[in-house]
Amino acid sequence: MPVLLVIAHGSRDPRHAATVHALVRRVRSMRPGLRVETGFLDFNIPSVPAVLESLAAEGVRDVVALPLLLTRAFHAKADIPAVLRAAPARLRIRQAEVLGPSPLLLAALERRLYEAGLTPADKPSTGVVLASAGSTDPEAGAVIAEIAREWRHTGWCAVRPAFASASLPRTEDAVRELRALGCARVAVAPYVLAPGFLPDRIARGAAEADVLAEVLGPAPEVARLLLERYDTARIPMLAAIGA
């Protein structure tokens, strides 16, 4: 069975790595026979190259590298492929797809909103800000906008995307727009995996909202999604080696 290597961005904020490790622990608990390793692109250890070198030294051959990212932006398209190309030659590595979009992520977002105090009965009167970190990649921004449109159809008063960087609107602007639309209640749902600088900016932008949900973190739906992405990537690997 290929090793699952979860590749996280990394952050100077210690809450980031702690949340990534909590998510990986949940993944391990859901599939005890699977070896799961964690590597970081920046700021934290172990680095992705260090993990790959260690796996190769142990004699591991097959690795599924899973970007802990919600959209296909620069890291998924450039940074991670470059790191994987520099891996030891003995390793067979397949890069899994990023996590989003997925119905499981919408389920995790709603879980966090309900944990913050909302109930399903509140949906028709509640506007939601889908607050993401933001990206200069137009594909990533378009995906966030499409997720907001789809989520609106599940019964919320309205859903608006917002971005902590690179794009507009900001969280506080989306909150005010939902107020102006007449939503009785406004909630902010951070579409981010772990705490850090940009999630903190989202939280500040939610000052005028009624509800601020927690980041997705180690939600069970997110852990399930990691395993789905792993399984999708490993099937062609196993076929190629005749397993």
Side-chain angles (χ1 to χ4, degrees):
M1 183 182 298
V3 171
L4 169 55
L5 172 58
V6 176
I7 300 179
H9 183 277
S11 171
R12 293 186 179 91
D13 189 322
R15 296 173 298 167
H16 174 91
T19 303
V20 169
H21 291 311
L23 174 58
V24 169
R25 284 195 298 271
R26 186 178 285 274
V27 171
R28 290 187 182 120
S29 73
M30 294 174 71
R31 192 170 297 181
L34 173 62
R35 180 174 178 181
V36 187
E37 299 291 343
T38 308
F40 295 90
L41 290 173
D42 207 353
F43 302 117
N44 302 106
I45 57 172
S47 68
V48 176
V51 176
L52 293 171
E53 291 285 352
S54 178
L55 290 173
E58 287 181 37
V60 170
R61 290 298 307 274
D62 299 304
V63 177
V64 170
L66 197 161
L68 199 59
L69 301 168
L70 295 175
T71 57
R72 268 183 51 78
F74 181 78
H75 292 303
K77 294 177 178 179
D79 281 357
I80 292 175
V83 170
L84 298 181
R85 284 194 298 270
R90 67 169 287 115
L91 292 176
R92 289 187 292 245
I93 304 174
R94 186 174 183 88
Q95 182 176 332
E97 289 296 323
V98 298
L99 299 179
S102 168
L104 284 170
L105 290 175
L106 288 182
L109 287 166
E110 295 207 352
R111 170 189 291 276
R112 293 304 190 220
L113 286 170
Y114 297 151
E115 289 171 349
L118 294 179
T119 70
D122 294 322
K123 293 179 79 168
S125 60
T126 303
V128 179
V129 179
L130 179 68
S132 72
S135 171
T136 55
D137 188 309
E139 178 186 345
V143 167
I144 299 299
E146 179 59 27
I147 292 169
R149 284 191 291 270
E150 290 181 6
W151 202 14
R152 162 69 182 83
H153 295 312
T154 66
W156 296 102
C157 173
V159 180
R160 293 291 185 270
F163 306 91
S165 68
S167 304
L168 295 174
R170 295 288 182 255
T171 301
E172 52 269 35
D173 299 324
V175 168
R176 292 174 189 133
E177 181 185 351
L178 290 170
R179 291 267 189 237
L181 281 175
C183 297
R185 188 185 296 101
V186 177
V188 174
Y191 190 63
V192 293
L193 287 165
F197 176 76
L198 293 178
D200 283 349
R201 181 179 288 177
I202 289 171
R204 290 193 297 273
E208 297 178 17
D210 301 292
V211 174
L212 170 63
E214 292 291 331
V215 299
L216 295 170
E221 295 86 358
V222 179
R224 282 178 52 201
L225 181 55
L226 263 68
L227 290 170
E228 280 192 7
R229 294 289 187 256
Y230 168 79
D231 288 336
T232 299
R234 78 183 177 98
I235 289 170
M237 284 187 76
L238 296 177
I241 62 178

